[in-house]
Amino acid sequence: MSTRYGFPPPGGAPNINSPNPLRPYYTGSDSPLQSYYNNTLSSTTLEEELAAQHELNSQAAAKELASYGLLKYATLAIAAPFDAGQTLLQVQYLPNDDGFNGDDEDLAEHSRQVEAQRRLQEEEAERERERDFYYNGSGNVHRDPYSRGAGGNHGNRYDQYPAASSSPAYQDRRELDPSASLPAVGDGHVIRTSVYDDETRPTYQMAPIEGGVWKAVTTLANHPTEGWMSLWKGQFTNWTYEMLHLFAQPTLEATLNDTFDLYDDTIPLVHLDHVGPNIATMVTSHLVVGLILSPLELVRTRLVVQTANPLQRKYSGMINCISTIIQEEGLSALWGGVNLFPTILYHTLTPLMSNSIPLVIDRVFKLSSADSPFLYSLAELGLNTIELLIRLPIETVRKRLQIQIQNKHHGRAPGSKHYRTAVETRRRPYYGMIDCVYRIIREEGGHHKRVSYRVNGSVDGQKHGVTTFVPQRPWYSAWGVRGLYTGLGMHLTTNFALFAVGAVTNLQDESDDW
């Protein structure tokens, strides 16, 4: 019996590195599989390769993120001057007439001084009547008890009251408008009775801007206390908001789609059979992220509107603005208060309308960009214009409410500064979105043309100077919606420019096909 062929020992399988009893010339170390496991897929080598690959991916992602961040910052910097100009136009207060613009404290002071002026006028009129009593019709002169002579036993008891007509400002206003009120100067509490009064306007504040966005940009750049750098106020805050929104909103939308087992959010809505669930997740993600990041929008608006004068400036930057708002107005002022409902409405309607335009064109108008490019572009222009007409009033109201200090002290906490603005704003607060819309339409709806002229000489012994008045207008002119659509021309010009470029491109493509 041959003993060349052996069997595995009783203890089990032979060692893989020992000679195979069935194949005495084969060794386990020569096996390709064994070599792969021993050399290539060793745990240390595999971990090193994975770590190196992860590091390369991280570096590439960081470089790509940094490049995109710089590009986004540069893009926002180009648009920042126009956004700043539009914001100033949206928040400035341009009443139809020379109505009073003050808060509750100014109203009380104004009423007190008007009453004091009325009493002075009554006492002066009574004094004139008593003087007339001592002068009869025949020319006989009786002793005047109010004269400065020794015979006047009453002395000069009325000389302690300055005549109401002795003020030059009072004379200039009373001659043209008997109902005009005098700026308060008695105790140093100066009250501006008109936003168009250049004499009482603070040096850090710009004159009313009655023009478009470009007019606001040039006025802001040429103002002594503002300058070119003011065109980029709030730039870093805006960039921070855009970058955070860019990462948070798509992530939340994808999470919601995965949760409800919906189609991928990268698929356009026009290619989906049932768009309702995807629209719901899209709007929800925009709304949630918009509410979370709304304090940054609040901060940016206040930084843009506040004056650049370092002596009058309230907020020094984004972090200081947030901390000051929390300290003076409370944490709820960053999200709640009068800003809550406009924020919800804005972040709901804006993404809904902008993302639904292609869907409406495709399923309602039955137009395709490939078959009818011109009609498709025309329909897109019309829907974009409708979206602008709905969005712009909400944006205007929202910015006005954002600059409104939300506490009973009107932002005047002990040791704090007033919120000084670069343009005239309505000092009396709005009570909500509806009240803001009503006040803008009622108080600022008409035209704002002012006429200034100089009258030399004197009439009845009273001198005249440069005077500004409001022309008479029809009653319905004060109910215009002009104040709600500030900056509309710039947006319409942009939409028409994009439409023209698209139309020319489509015509070139059609000519190339022929």
Side-chain angles (χ1 to χ4, degrees), residues 8 64 104 150 175 218 223 309 409 415 449 481:
E64 185 177 356
D104 294 337
E175 286 300 314
T218 55
H223 194 266
N309 190 341
H409 302 291
K449 183 178 180 181
V481 294

Side-chain angles (χ1 to χ4, degrees), residues 465-478:
V466 178
T467 307
T468 302
F469 74 97
V470 185
Q472 296 294 329
R473 309 184 191 92
W475 64 271
Y476 55 82
S477 65

